[in-house]
Amino acid sequence: VRGLCPLKQIPRQKEDNTLIFEARFESGNLQKVVKVNEFEYQLTLRTDLYTSRHTQWYYFQVSNMQAGMPYRFTIVNFTNRNSLYKHGLRPLLYSEADAKKHKVGWRRTGNEIKYYKNNAGQGGRQYFSLTWTFQFPHDLDTCYFAHCYPYTYSNLQKYLVAISKDPVKSTFCKIHILCHSLAGNIVYVLTITNPPESGKGTKRKAVILTARVHPGETNSSWIMKGFLDYILGDSGTAQLLRDNFVFKVVPMLNPDGVIVGNHRCSLTGQDLNRTYRSNGKKCYPSIWYTRNMIKRVMGELDVFLYCDIHGHNGKKNVFMYGCERKQQAKAPYVHPRVFPLLLSKSCPDKFSFTDCRFRVRKSKEGTGRVVMWKMGINNSYTLEAS
């Protein structure tokens, strides 16, 4: 389960210009491809394992291409009615040749992009197609396409190894095993705070951050990486934050789903962000242990803020979902709108306060945000980013 390298392909006959597709690698997702004509291909994505749903995340390798030719790809089994592909989102392309020669990484690509309802409904389900045209930059290159910038479980492990080997960062960032996933992968928890100075007994508040409960929302891992880069840095603000807070961070709640290239579910076929009320320690270990860890922290420290980081496929900008009582407390620091408002003031070009919502819907009762709020954390949020 820990991710395989792409298999070496059998060499093609000289005259055959058919593209070669591969997705049997870590976080890869592609089920089948049909060649429609010389430069047109119809692609079908794999559903989340043990479900018949959740086709959104794609990540696959292409080789044996001709440069400068107008290829068209059409993915035919999306299930979301609305998509940011209707509003300017473009697929991502990575060229190994460009990365080697010009240090160019992932980049947005595609023209004539359309997202539309198709006629391939099965069992009453409606499917949607994404189609785009593009040209490969090099002959016989190895390229990759993805829905969002990939961030794999291996990327996370490499990052954590670098922290543990850093003589400075490792003094205030402790990495522990929270639990093991169903497939035996480690779910990590980080504790970040400056060692207390002797004689100073100030009680610190706790901040709890989690990410990547939904595997296809790779943007949540990049936001988490940005936060960790910042809080582990040597700026005066980062020092001040580490002096005043204990940060508890679970950077990847669903490593199994990430590894196998799921979009939303774990290996039980469940959306883990609906299981925070469950006592299914065996079925949902990362959720059970995260909730228990938070209960333990609440017994020792005042938890100032809880935030679960996500990616959103339908709305633009960065925004938050919070939890609001009908009769909200008077004190401003426990009012759930204050923290998102501060974020919108500090980065108005990215964070949209008008997109924030504070209603607690019945369908969201099992989410981390609502369960932590009901446990007593007033500032309990989901952070969404497009």
Side-chain angles (χ1 to χ4, degrees):
V1 177
R2 283 179 177 75
L4 300 163
C5 290
L7 305 176
K8 289 286 172 232
Q9 294 286 352
I10 303 142
R12 309 293 286 192
Q13 285 148 9
K14 268 189 179 172
E15 302 307 310
D16 195 347
N17 295 322
T18 302
L19 294 179
I20 300 167
F21 291 82
E22 178 59 80
R24 289 169 294 185
F25 51 83
E26 191 179 11
S27 294
N29 185 322
L30 182 66
Q31 188 177 62
K32 74 169 183 180
V33 181
V34 176
K35 184 177 181 179
V36 180
N37 61 44
E38 196 177 1
F39 298 109
E40 187 171 351
Y41 293 81
Q42 194 182 75
L43 289 69
T44 304
L45 304 181
R46 180 181 53 68
T47 59
D48 281 12
L49 291 188
Y50 316 116
T51 79
S52 60
R53 307 199 310 282
H54 310 300
T55 45
Q56 188 76 34
W57 170 254
Y58 58 88
Y59 179 25
F60 56 88
Q61 182 197 79
V62 185
S63 55
N64 202 43
M65 69 282 289
Q66 297 176 58
M69 301 308 288
Y71 286 90
R72 178 180 287 280
F73 283 1
T74 305
I75 298 173
V76 295
N77 66 329
F78 284 109
T79 49
N80 283 6
R81 183 171 297 280
N82 284 318
S83 170
L84 288 172
Y85 288 114
K86 286 181 174 178
H87 306 285
L89 181 66
R90 301 161 80 203
L92 280 160
L93 169 74
Y94 182 97
S95 154
E96 284 191 359
D98 275 351
K100 208 172 178 178
K101 286 181 195 164
H102 310 296
K103 301 280 184 283
V104 174
W106 287 97
R107 59 184 187 268
R108 297 282 174 194
T109 190
N111 301 304
E112 300 168 24
I113 295 168
K114 289 185 180 65
Y115 189 89
Y116 57 92
K117 189 159 82 169
N118 64 37
N119 302 319
Q122 266 180 352
R125 178 166 289 143
Q126 184 60 62
Y127 287 105
F128 297 83
S129 291
L130 167 69
T131 187
W132 73 98
T133 60
F134 63 96
Q135 295 176 349
F136 286 107
H138 304 281
D139 270 331
L140 304 178
D141 190 5
T142 301
C143 290
Y144 296 82
F145 284 91
H147 172 60
C148 190
Y149 301 91
Y151 190 100
T152 63
Y153 183 59
S154 296
N155 292 146
L156 174 68
Q157 288 181 305
K158 198 172 166 186
Y159 186 81
L160 296 180
V161 164
I163 292 170
S164 65
K165 287 183 173 173
D166 188 297
V168 179
K169 289 175 183 173
S170 57
T171 60
F172 52 75
C173 177
K174 303 298 176 195
I175 301 165
H176 295 288
I177 296 172
L178 179 69
C179 63
H180 286 83
S181 69
L182 289 181
N185 295 299
I186 295 169
V187 180
Y188 296 94
V189 59
L190 283 56
T191 305
I192 303 163
T193 192
N194 279 341
E197 289 176 33
S198 54
K200 284 192 175 179
T202 54
K203 196 149 194 202
R204 297 174 183 187
K205 293 190 179 201
V207 171
I208 294 157
L209 298 176
T210 58
R212 208 66 187 278
V213 73
H214 294 145
E217 297 171 10
T218 58
N219 27 4
S220 72
S221 281
W222 290 106
I223 292 170
M224 179 60 88
K225 181 189 179 302
F227 165 75
L228 289 171
D229 287 348
Y230 182 81
I231 203 70
L232 299 175
D234 52 10
S235 71
T237 322
Q239 296 272 12
L240 191 65
L241 285 165
R242 295 197 303 266
D243 284 341
N244 287 285
F245 293 95
V246 177
F247 293 90
K248 286 281 191 184
V249 177
V250 184
M252 194 173 279
L253 282 162
N254 189 354
D256 297 352
V258 169
I259 290 165
V260 300
N262 276 3
H263 175 61
R264 197 166 181 86
C265 297
S266 70
L267 291 189
T268 57
Q270 291 289 319
D271 178 347
L272 292 182
N273 198 32
R274 298 294 182 272
T275 64
Y276 277 86
R277 288 186 298 181
S278 163
N279 284 321
K281 183 178 178 179
K282 276 192 173 152
C283 294
Y284 321 119
S286 64
I287 301 302
W288 192 91
Y289 279 95
T290 297
R291 191 183 62 198
N292 260 33
M293 177 268 289
I294 293 170
K295 276 183 185 166
R296 204 165 55 247
V297 172
M298 288 175 81
E300 297 165 12
L301 302 169
D302 180 11
V303 176
F304 174 68
L305 183 139
Y306 162 88
C307 185
D308 186 28
I309 306 170
H310 287 249
H312 205 287
N313 287 304
K315 285 169 82 172
K316 293 183 181 181
N317 305 315
V318 182
F319 53 94
M320 279 181 145
Y321 296 129
C323 304
E324 199 166 54
R325 287 192 170 83
K326 295 270 195 301
Q327 256 56 51
Q328 195 60 46
K330 294 283 189 287
Y333 60 87
V334 293
H335 199 294
R337 293 178 184 242
V338 171
F339 185 68
L341 185 67
L342 291 173
L343 277 181
S344 72
K345 301 284 186 201
S346 66
C347 45
D349 60 323
K350 292 183 181 64
F351 192 94
S352 166
F353 186 71
T354 52
D355 283 318
C356 296
R357 298 288 177 268
F358 299 91
R359 263 183 66 194
V360 179
R361 293 175 181 274
K362 198 155 184 59
S363 61
K364 308 290 186 187
E365 300 255 314
T367 62
R369 161 178 66 102
V370 176
V371 170
M372 298 313 153
W373 176 65
K374 288 187 171 173
M375 275 166 49
I377 302 171
N378 268 307
N379 294 315
S380 183
Y381 302 102
T382 302
L383 178 78
E384 296 276 5
S386 82

